[in-house]
Amino acid sequence: MIDVRTPNEFKSGHIKGAKNIDAFSANFNAQLEKLDKSKAVYVYCRSGARSRQSTKKLSALEFTEIYDLKNGILGYN
């Protein structure tokens, strides 16, 4: 589970077990490339926009099982 919000947003509350990889960070793609492509990846942000963009990047990096939390953490809570 990947939370693509900023570190401050992550600290304000996140889904248990989520890893924070800030979509706005300069090394975002490099951090994504370190993930295991053979495993399912679950992505979320605040409302869905950043996670939608992140799933496109994951797909371009040849991840095959990608899930985007609809409406982000706002929809989850």
Side-chain angles (χ1 to χ4, degrees):
M1 172 115 7
I2 303 169
D3 183 325
V4 296
R5 298 176 300 154
T6 65
N8 284 336
E9 288 175 302
F10 185 78
K11 288 176 190 171
S12 72
H14 58 273
I15 297 173
K16 185 177 180 179
K19 178 178 181 171
N20 184 218
I21 303 177
D22 183 358
F24 296 134
S25 72
N27 62 351
F28 181 64
N29 285 349
Q31 290 183 42
L32 293 180
E33 289 175 358
K34 293 178 184 177
L35 301 174
D36 186 348
K37 293 179 183 179
S38 69
K39 294 185 178 179
V41 179
Y42 299 83
V43 184
Y44 72 92
C45 62
R46 187 181 69 82
S47 62
R50 284 175 279 180
S51 61
R52 197 171 318 114
Q53 290 298 322
S54 298
T55 60
K56 290 177 184 177
K57 289 182 180 186
L58 287 163
S59 183
L61 292 170
E62 300 180 353
F63 284 80
T64 56
E65 196 171 354
I66 307 163
Y67 301 95
D68 186 358
L69 181 61
K70 185 176 181 180
N71 299 321
I73 199 163
L74 291 178
Y76 178 78
N77 290 331

